[in-house]
mmCIF file of all heavy atoms in Angstrom:
data_model
loop_
_atom_site.group_PDB
_atom_site.id
_atom_site.type_symbol
_atom_site.label_atom_id
_atom_site.label_comp_id
_atom_site.label_asym_id
_atom_site.label_seq_id
_atom_site.Cartn_x
_atom_site.Cartn_y
_atom_site.Cartn_z
ATOM 1 N N LEU A 82 13.741 41.176 2.069
ATOM 2 C CA LEU A 82 12.573 40.584 2.741
ATOM 3 C C LEU A 82 11.765 39.754 1.760
ATOM 4 O O LEU A 82 11.343 38.646 2.043
ATOM 5 C CB LEU A 82 11.681 41.701 3.304
ATOM 6 C CG LEU A 82 11.948 42.152 4.740
ATOM 7 C CD1 LEU A 82 10.965 43.233 5.126
ATOM 8 C CD2 LEU A 82 11.856 40.993 5.708
ATOM 9 N N GLY A 141 18.147 54.989 14.190
ATOM 10 C CA GLY A 141 17.266 53.892 14.630
ATOM 11 C C GLY A 141 17.640 52.597 13.932
ATOM 12 O O GLY A 141 17.777 51.546 14.573
ATOM 13 N N VAL A 142 17.872 52.671 12.614
ATOM 14 C CA VAL A 142 18.211 51.450 11.862
ATOM 15 C C VAL A 142 19.550 50.900 12.335
ATOM 16 O O VAL A 142 19.691 49.705 12.611
ATOM 17 C CB VAL A 142 18.240 51.751 10.341
ATOM 18 C CG1 VAL A 142 18.774 50.561 9.566
ATOM 19 C CG2 VAL A 142 16.865 52.132 9.845
ATOM 20 N N LEU A 145 19.198 49.423 15.817
ATOM 21 C CA LEU A 145 18.443 48.162 15.834
ATOM 22 C C LEU A 145 19.340 47.023 15.360
ATOM 23 O O LEU A 145 19.350 45.937 15.932
ATOM 24 C CB LEU A 145 17.215 48.273 14.924
ATOM 25 C CG LEU A 145 16.270 47.057 14.935
ATOM 26 C CD1 LEU A 145 15.661 46.847 16.315
ATOM 27 C CD2 LEU A 145 15.169 47.227 13.905
ATOM 28 N N ALA A 148 21.586 45.909 18.050
ATOM 29 C CA ALA A 148 20.944 45.366 19.265
ATOM 30 C C ALA A 148 20.701 43.866 19.138
ATOM 31 O O ALA A 148 20.567 43.169 20.141
ATOM 32 C CB ALA A 148 19.620 46.079 19.509
ATOM 33 N N PHE A 149 20.664 43.339 17.899
ATOM 34 C CA PHE A 149 20.350 41.911 17.743
ATOM 35 C C PHE A 149 21.634 41.092 17.865
ATOM 36 O O PHE A 149 22.684 41.508 17.369
ATOM 37 C CB PHE A 149 19.741 41.659 16.351
ATOM 38 C CG PHE A 149 18.255 41.842 16.291
ATOM 39 C CD1 PHE A 149 17.701 43.098 16.130
ATOM 40 C CD2 PHE A 149 17.415 40.753 16.391
ATOM 41 C CE1 PHE A 149 16.325 43.269 16.069
ATOM 42 C CE2 PHE A 149 16.038 40.908 16.323
ATOM 43 C CZ PHE A 149 15.498 42.170 16.163
ATOM 44 N N ALA A 154 18.509 37.740 11.817
ATOM 45 C CA ALA A 154 17.265 38.396 12.240
ATOM 46 C C ALA A 154 17.457 39.909 12.236
ATOM 47 O O ALA A 154 16.549 40.668 11.897
ATOM 48 C CB ALA A 154 16.888 37.898 13.633
ATOM 49 N N ALA A 155 18.690 40.347 12.569
ATOM 50 C CA ALA A 155 18.949 41.793 12.634
ATOM 51 C C ALA A 155 18.689 42.429 11.281
ATOM 52 O O ALA A 155 17.975 43.437 11.179
ATOM 53 C CB ALA A 155 20.398 42.033 13.059
ATOM 54 N N SER A 156 19.189 41.817 10.207
ATOM 55 C CA SER A 156 19.020 42.492 8.907
ATOM 56 C C SER A 156 17.556 42.448 8.477
ATOM 57 O O SER A 156 17.055 43.393 7.883
ATOM 58 C CB SER A 156 19.922 41.843 7.858
ATOM 59 O OG SER A 156 19.979 40.462 8.027
ATOM 60 N N LYS A 157 16.854 41.387 8.839
ATOM 61 C CA LYS A 157 15.421 41.359 8.464
ATOM 62 C C LYS A 157 14.665 42.436 9.251
ATOM 63 O O LYS A 157 13.820 43.156 8.700
ATOM 64 C CB LYS A 157 14.828 39.978 8.775
ATOM 65 C CG LYS A 157 15.421 38.862 7.943
ATOM 66 C CD LYS A 157 15.037 39.008 6.484
ATOM 67 C CE LYS A 157 15.558 37.866 5.636
ATOM 68 N NZ LYS A 157 16.865 38.119 5.026
ATOM 69 N N ALA A 158 14.995 42.593 10.528
ATOM 70 C CA ALA A 158 14.296 43.606 11.340
ATOM 71 C C ALA A 158 14.600 45.001 10.794
ATOM 72 O O ALA A 158 13.708 45.846 10.676
ATOM 73 C CB ALA A 158 14.743 43.495 12.801
ATOM 74 N N CYS A 159 15.863 45.227 10.404
ATOM 75 C CA CYS A 159 16.211 46.550 9.868
ATOM 76 C C CYS A 159 15.511 46.778 8.534
ATOM 77 O O CYS A 159 15.127 47.911 8.215
ATOM 78 C CB CYS A 159 17.723 46.654 9.691
ATOM 79 S SG CYS A 159 18.571 46.792 11.256
ATOM 80 N N ALA A 160 15.303 45.695 7.777
ATOM 81 C CA ALA A 160 14.585 45.849 6.504
ATOM 82 C C ALA A 160 13.161 46.339 6.788
ATOM 83 O O ALA A 160 12.685 47.298 6.163
ATOM 84 C CB ALA A 160 14.562 44.519 5.768
ATOM 85 N N VAL A 161 12.514 45.733 7.770
ATOM 86 C CA VAL A 161 11.137 46.142 8.105
ATOM 87 C C VAL A 161 11.138 47.594 8.578
ATOM 88 O O VAL A 161 10.343 48.425 8.125
ATOM 89 C CB VAL A 161 10.565 45.213 9.214
ATOM 90 C CG1 VAL A 161 9.242 45.760 9.741
ATOM 91 C CG2 VAL A 161 10.392 43.814 8.684
ATOM 92 N N LEU A 162 12.107 47.938 9.454
ATOM 93 C CA LEU A 162 12.132 49.300 10.002
ATOM 94 C C LEU A 162 12.381 50.317 8.902
ATOM 95 O O LEU A 162 11.737 51.367 8.842
ATOM 96 C CB LEU A 162 13.228 49.416 11.065
ATOM 97 C CG LEU A 162 13.318 50.790 11.755
ATOM 98 C CD1 LEU A 162 12.041 51.102 12.516
ATOM 99 C CD2 LEU A 162 14.520 50.850 12.668
ATOM 100 N N SER A 163 13.292 49.982 7.961
ATOM 101 C CA SER A 163 13.584 50.985 6.918
ATOM 102 C C SER A 163 12.379 51.121 5.980
ATOM 103 O O SER A 163 12.103 52.206 5.481
ATOM 104 C CB SER A 163 14.836 50.589 6.131
ATOM 105 O OG SER A 163 14.734 49.292 5.661
ATOM 106 N N LEU A 164 11.617 50.030 5.775
ATOM 107 C CA LEU A 164 10.403 50.168 4.947
ATOM 108 C C LEU A 164 9.374 51.045 5.662
ATOM 109 O O LEU A 164 8.753 51.919 5.061
ATOM 110 C CB LEU A 164 9.828 48.787 4.645
ATOM 111 C CG LEU A 164 10.584 48.015 3.558
ATOM 112 C CD1 LEU A 164 10.056 46.598 3.441
ATOM 113 C CD2 LEU A 164 10.480 48.736 2.227
ATOM 114 N N VAL A 165 9.220 50.818 6.972
ATOM 115 C CA VAL A 165 8.278 51.654 7.734
ATOM 116 C C VAL A 165 8.732 53.111 7.649
ATOM 117 O O VAL A 165 7.935 54.025 7.418
ATOM 118 C CB VAL A 165 8.224 51.180 9.212
ATOM 119 C CG1 VAL A 165 7.503 52.197 10.080
ATOM 120 C CG2 VAL A 165 7.559 49.827 9.302
ATOM 121 N N GLY A 166 10.057 53.318 7.788
ATOM 122 C CA GLY A 166 10.587 54.684 7.703
ATOM 123 C C GLY A 166 10.323 55.285 6.338
ATOM 124 O O GLY A 166 9.923 56.445 6.208
ATOM 125 N N ASP P 75 6.047 49.345 25.012
ATOM 126 C CA ASP P 75 7.005 48.236 25.075
ATOM 127 C C ASP P 75 6.343 46.969 25.614
ATOM 128 O O ASP P 75 6.792 45.861 25.341
ATOM 129 C CB ASP P 75 8.161 48.629 25.999
ATOM 130 C CG ASP P 75 9.239 47.555 26.003
ATOM 131 O OD1 ASP P 75 9.697 47.188 24.909
ATOM 132 O OD2 ASP P 75 9.568 47.033 27.086
ATOM 133 N N PHE P 78 3.734 43.262 23.563
ATOM 134 C CA PHE P 78 3.999 41.840 23.274
ATOM 135 C C PHE P 78 4.937 41.202 24.290
ATOM 136 O O PHE P 78 5.107 39.985 24.303
ATOM 137 C CB PHE P 78 4.612 41.703 21.867
ATOM 138 C CG PHE P 78 3.736 42.221 20.771
ATOM 139 C CD1 PHE P 78 4.082 43.351 20.061
ATOM 140 C CD2 PHE P 78 2.532 41.587 20.468
ATOM 141 C CE1 PHE P 78 3.273 43.832 19.048
ATOM 142 C CE2 PHE P 78 1.714 42.067 19.460
ATOM 143 C CZ PHE P 78 2.081 43.199 18.753
ATOM 144 N N ARG P 79 5.576 42.074 25.142
ATOM 145 C CA ARG P 79 6.667 41.513 25.953
ATOM 146 C C ARG P 79 6.152 40.419 26.902
ATOM 147 O O ARG P 79 6.774 39.372 27.061
ATOM 148 C CB ARG P 79 7.358 42.640 26.739
ATOM 149 C CG ARG P 79 8.695 42.201 27.327
ATOM 150 C CD ARG P 79 9.534 43.396 27.744
ATOM 151 N NE ARG P 79 10.128 44.105 26.632
ATOM 152 C CZ ARG P 79 11.208 43.687 25.972
ATOM 153 N NH1 ARG P 79 11.751 42.527 26.302
ATOM 154 N NH2 ARG P 79 11.728 44.383 24.999
ATOM 155 N N VAL P 151 1.550 52.622 15.764
ATOM 156 C CA VAL P 151 2.973 52.805 15.394
ATOM 157 C C VAL P 151 3.867 52.256 16.500
ATOM 158 O O VAL P 151 4.874 51.588 16.250
ATOM 159 C CB VAL P 151 3.242 54.302 15.146
ATOM 160 C CG1 VAL P 151 4.713 54.547 14.942
ATOM 161 C CG2 VAL P 151 2.450 54.784 13.952
ATOM 162 N N GLY P 152 3.442 52.467 17.755
ATOM 163 C CA GLY P 152 4.235 51.941 18.875
ATOM 164 C C GLY P 152 4.327 50.433 18.825
ATOM 165 O O GLY P 152 5.373 49.842 19.144
ATOM 166 N N ALA P 153 3.285 49.790 18.329
ATOM 167 C CA ALA P 153 3.300 48.320 18.261
ATOM 168 C C ALA P 153 4.357 47.841 17.273
ATOM 169 O O ALA P 153 4.954 46.779 17.453
ATOM 170 C CB ALA P 153 1.925 47.811 17.842
ATOM 171 N N ILE P 154 4.624 48.651 16.225
ATOM 172 C CA ILE P 154 5.693 48.262 15.288
ATOM 173 C C ILE P 154 7.025 48.227 16.028
ATOM 174 O O ILE P 154 7.782 47.256 15.962
ATOM 175 C CB ILE P 154 5.771 49.256 14.106
ATOM 176 C CG1 ILE P 154 4.474 49.268 13.306
ATOM 177 C CG2 ILE P 154 6.952 48.934 13.215
ATOM 178 C CD1 ILE P 154 4.438 50.322 12.220
ATOM 179 N N GLY P 155 7.291 49.289 16.810
ATOM 180 C CA GLY P 155 8.532 49.309 17.595
ATOM 181 C C GLY P 155 8.559 48.158 18.579
ATOM 182 O O GLY P 155 9.580 47.483 18.746
ATOM 183 N N ALA P 156 7.410 47.868 19.195
ATOM 184 C CA ALA P 156 7.358 46.771 20.184
ATOM 185 C C ALA P 156 7.655 45.444 19.495
ATOM 186 O O ALA P 156 8.441 44.631 19.991
ATOM 187 C CB ALA P 156 5.970 46.739 20.830
ATOM 188 N N ALA P 157 7.068 45.238 18.320
ATOM 189 C CA ALA P 157 7.265 43.953 17.621
ATOM 190 C C ALA P 157 8.726 43.778 17.229
ATOM 191 O O ALA P 157 9.274 42.677 17.291
ATOM 192 C CB ALA P 157 6.382 43.899 16.375
ATOM 193 N N LEU P 158 9.389 44.869 16.846
ATOM 194 C CA LEU P 158 10.780 44.751 16.390
ATOM 195 C C LEU P 158 11.738 44.559 17.561
ATOM 196 O O LEU P 158 12.814 43.997 17.402
ATOM 197 C CB LEU P 158 11.183 45.990 15.582
ATOM 198 C CG LEU P 158 10.551 46.093 14.198
ATOM 199 C CD1 LEU P 158 10.834 47.457 13.573
ATOM 200 C CD2 LEU P 158 11.082 44.992 13.288
ATOM 201 N N THR P 159 11.359 45.032 18.769
ATOM 202 C CA THR P 159 12.327 44.977 19.867
ATOM 203 C C THR P 159 11.915 43.970 20.946
ATOM 204 O O THR P 159 12.578 43.881 21.977
ATOM 205 C CB THR P 159 12.427 46.365 20.549
ATOM 206 O OG1 THR P 159 11.117 46.693 21.054
ATOM 207 C CG2 THR P 159 12.865 47.436 19.591
ATOM 208 N N VAL P 160 10.856 43.197 20.725
ATOM 209 C CA VAL P 160 10.368 42.331 21.814
ATOM 210 C C VAL P 160 11.394 41.250 22.129
ATOM 211 O O VAL P 160 11.541 40.827 23.260
ATOM 212 C CB VAL P 160 8.999 41.710 21.435
ATOM 213 C CG1 VAL P 160 9.120 40.662 20.361
ATOM 214 C CG2 VAL P 160 8.317 41.147 22.667
ATOM 215 N N GLY P 161 12.180 40.865 21.128
ATOM 216 C CA GLY P 161 13.121 39.779 21.392
ATOM 217 C C GLY P 161 14.391 40.241 22.078
ATOM 218 O O GLY P 161 15.234 39.427 22.443
ATOM 219 N N LEU P 162 14.526 41.569 22.255
ATOM 220 C CA LEU P 162 15.802 42.067 22.789
ATOM 221 C C LEU P 162 15.666 42.260 24.293
ATOM 222 O O LEU P 162 14.613 42.666 24.782
ATOM 223 C CB LEU P 162 16.139 43.406 22.116
ATOM 224 C CG LEU P 162 16.092 43.374 20.581
ATOM 225 C CD1 LEU P 162 16.285 44.757 20.019
ATOM 226 C CD2 LEU P 162 17.149 42.414 20.061
ATOM 227 N N GLY P 165 14.960 46.346 25.305
ATOM 228 C CA GLY P 165 14.418 47.026 24.142
ATOM 229 C C GLY P 165 13.861 48.388 24.510
ATOM 230 O O GLY P 165 13.586 49.204 23.643
ATOM 231 N N LEU P 168 15.606 51.488 23.159
ATOM 232 C CA LEU P 168 15.703 51.413 21.695
ATOM 233 C C LEU P 168 14.361 51.753 21.057
ATOM 234 O O LEU P 168 14.285 52.448 20.062
ATOM 235 C CB LEU P 168 16.133 49.982 21.315
ATOM 236 C CG LEU P 168 16.369 49.711 19.845
ATOM 237 C CD1 LEU P 168 17.478 50.592 19.308
ATOM 238 C CD2 LEU P 168 16.719 48.245 19.630
ATOM 239 N N ILE P 169 13.267 51.330 21.721
ATOM 240 C CA ILE P 169 11.949 51.510 21.098
ATOM 241 C C ILE P 169 11.667 52.996 20.919
ATOM 242 O O ILE P 169 11.112 53.417 19.902
ATOM 243 C CB ILE P 169 10.867 50.804 21.953
ATOM 244 C CG1 ILE P 169 9.625 50.525 21.120
ATOM 245 C CG2 ILE P 169 10.496 51.595 23.173
ATOM 246 C CD1 ILE P 169 8.620 49.652 21.839
ATOM 247 N N LEU P 172 13.369 54.238 17.857
ATOM 248 C CA LEU P 172 12.789 53.742 16.596
ATOM 249 C C LEU P 172 11.507 54.491 16.243
ATOM 250 O O LEU P 172 11.264 54.832 15.090
ATOM 251 C CB LEU P 172 12.478 52.239 16.715
ATOM 252 C CG LEU P 172 13.626 51.280 16.978
ATOM 253 C CD1 LEU P 172 13.159 49.851 16.788
ATOM 254 C CD2 LEU P 172 14.816 51.587 16.106
ATOM 255 N N ILE P 173 10.651 54.734 17.252
ATOM 256 C CA ILE P 173 9.306 55.177 16.858
ATOM 257 C C ILE P 173 9.038 56.658 17.128
ATOM 258 O O ILE P 173 8.073 57.202 16.600
ATOM 259 C CB ILE P 173 8.226 54.334 17.573
ATOM 260 C CG1 ILE P 173 8.428 54.283 19.062
ATOM 261 C CG2 ILE P 173 8.170 52.948 16.982
ATOM 262 C CD1 ILE P 173 7.321 53.561 19.779
ATOM 263 N N LEU P 176 8.447 58.635 14.129
ATOM 264 C CA LEU P 176 7.175 58.359 13.457
ATOM 265 C C LEU P 176 6.016 58.999 14.218
ATOM 266 O O LEU P 176 4.911 59.142 13.690
ATOM 267 C CB LEU P 176 6.975 56.839 13.351
ATOM 268 C CG LEU P 176 8.184 56.047 12.857
ATOM 269 C CD1 LEU P 176 7.870 54.554 12.802
ATOM 270 C CD2 LEU P 176 8.630 56.539 11.486
ATOM 271 N N ALA P 218 3.673 45.456 9.315
ATOM 272 C CA ALA P 218 5.011 45.562 9.895
ATOM 273 C C ALA P 218 5.066 44.813 11.224
ATOM 274 O O ALA P 218 6.075 44.178 11.554
ATOM 275 C CB ALA P 218 5.372 47.038 10.099
ATOM 276 N N VAL P 219 3.958 44.849 11.972
ATOM 277 C CA VAL P 219 3.937 44.158 13.275
ATOM 278 C C VAL P 219 4.072 42.655 13.053
ATOM 279 O O VAL P 219 4.897 41.989 13.699
ATOM 280 C CB VAL P 219 2.625 44.488 14.034
ATOM 281 C CG1 VAL P 219 2.428 43.534 15.202
ATOM 282 C CG2 VAL P 219 2.626 45.921 14.513
ATOM 283 N N ALA P 220 3.322 42.124 12.081
ATOM 284 C CA ALA P 220 3.387 40.668 11.830
ATOM 285 C C ALA P 220 4.801 40.279 11.415
ATOM 286 O O ALA P 220 5.392 39.332 11.950
ATOM 287 C CB ALA P 220 2.380 40.290 10.744
ATOM 288 N N ALA P 221 5.385 41.043 10.492
ATOM 289 C CA ALA P 221 6.756 40.727 10.044
ATOM 290 C C ALA P 221 7.715 40.852 11.222
ATOM 291 O O ALA P 221 8.581 39.995 11.437
ATOM 292 C CB ALA P 221 7.166 41.682 8.917
ATOM 293 N N GLY P 222 7.541 41.911 12.019
ATOM 294 C CA GLY P 222 8.440 42.129 13.166
ATOM 295 C C GLY P 222 8.373 40.982 14.151
ATOM 296 O O GLY P 222 9.406 40.493 14.636
ATOM 297 N N LEU P 223 7.152 40.492 14.417
ATOM 298 C CA LEU P 223 7.018 39.396 15.389
ATOM 299 C C LEU P 223 7.687 38.134 14.852
ATOM 300 O O LEU P 223 8.418 37.445 15.567
ATOM 301 C CB LEU P 223 5.536 39.129 15.679
ATOM 302 C CG LEU P 223 4.825 40.207 16.497
ATOM 303 C CD1 LEU P 223 3.351 39.874 16.672
ATOM 304 C CD2 LEU P 223 5.490 40.378 17.854
ATOM 305 N N ARG P 224 7.471 37.852 13.550
ATOM 306 C CA ARG P 224 8.076 36.626 12.992
ATOM 307 C C ARG P 224 9.597 36.708 13.046
ATOM 308 O O ARG P 224 10.286 35.701 13.139
ATOM 309 C CB ARG P 224 7.620 36.445 11.530
ATOM 310 C CG ARG P 224 6.130 36.151 11.397
ATOM 311 C CD ARG P 224 5.851 35.088 10.340
ATOM 312 N NE ARG P 224 4.408 34.858 10.175
ATOM 313 C CZ ARG P 224 3.709 34.076 10.975
ATOM 314 N NH1 ARG P 224 4.313 33.458 11.984
ATOM 315 N NH2 ARG P 224 2.413 33.903 10.800
ATOM 316 N N ILE P 225 10.144 37.936 12.985
ATOM 317 C CA ILE P 225 11.602 38.069 13.044
ATOM 318 C C ILE P 225 12.078 37.987 14.489
ATOM 319 O O ILE P 225 13.030 37.286 14.818
ATOM 320 C CB ILE P 225 12.014 39.425 12.421
ATOM 321 C CG1 ILE P 225 11.686 39.441 10.932
ATOM 322 C CG2 ILE P 225 13.470 39.715 12.651
ATOM 323 C CD1 ILE P 225 11.679 40.824 10.337
ATOM 324 N N SER P 226 11.351 38.675 15.383
ATOM 325 C CA SER P 226 11.846 38.779 16.760
ATOM 326 C C SER P 226 11.778 37.449 17.489
ATOM 327 O O SER P 226 12.479 37.248 18.478
ATOM 328 C CB SER P 226 10.996 39.794 17.538
ATOM 329 O OG SER P 226 11.192 41.064 16.977
ATOM 330 N N ILE P 227 10.930 36.536 17.027
ATOM 331 C CA ILE P 227 10.805 35.257 17.754
ATOM 332 C C ILE P 227 12.142 34.526 17.707
ATOM 333 O O ILE P 227 12.451 33.680 18.522
ATOM 334 C CB ILE P 227 9.665 34.417 17.150
ATOM 335 C CG1 ILE P 227 9.061 33.506 18.223
ATOM 336 C CG2 ILE P 227 10.131 33.610 15.948
ATOM 337 C CD1 ILE P 227 8.165 34.249 19.179
ATOM 338 N N ALA P 229 15.179 36.142 17.806
ATOM 339 C CA ALA P 229 16.271 37.093 18.096
ATOM 340 C C ALA P 229 17.407 36.421 18.859
ATOM 341 O O ALA P 229 17.170 35.548 19.686
ATOM 342 C CB ALA P 229 15.761 38.259 18.915
#
Side-chain angles (χ1 to χ4, degrees):
Chain A
L82 269 181
V142 172
L145 185 63
F149 273 83
S156 38
K157 295 293 183 268
C159 288
V161 170
L162 182 63
S163 52
L164 283 173
V165 168
Chain P
D75 185 53
F78 300 112
R79 194 164 285 282
V151 173
I154 298 174
L158 288 171
T159 60
V160 71
L162 308 174
L168 183 61
I169 201 171
L172 299 191
I173 52 175
L176 313 180
V219 166
L223 289 177
R224 293 221 183 278
I225 294 163
S226 295
I227 208 76

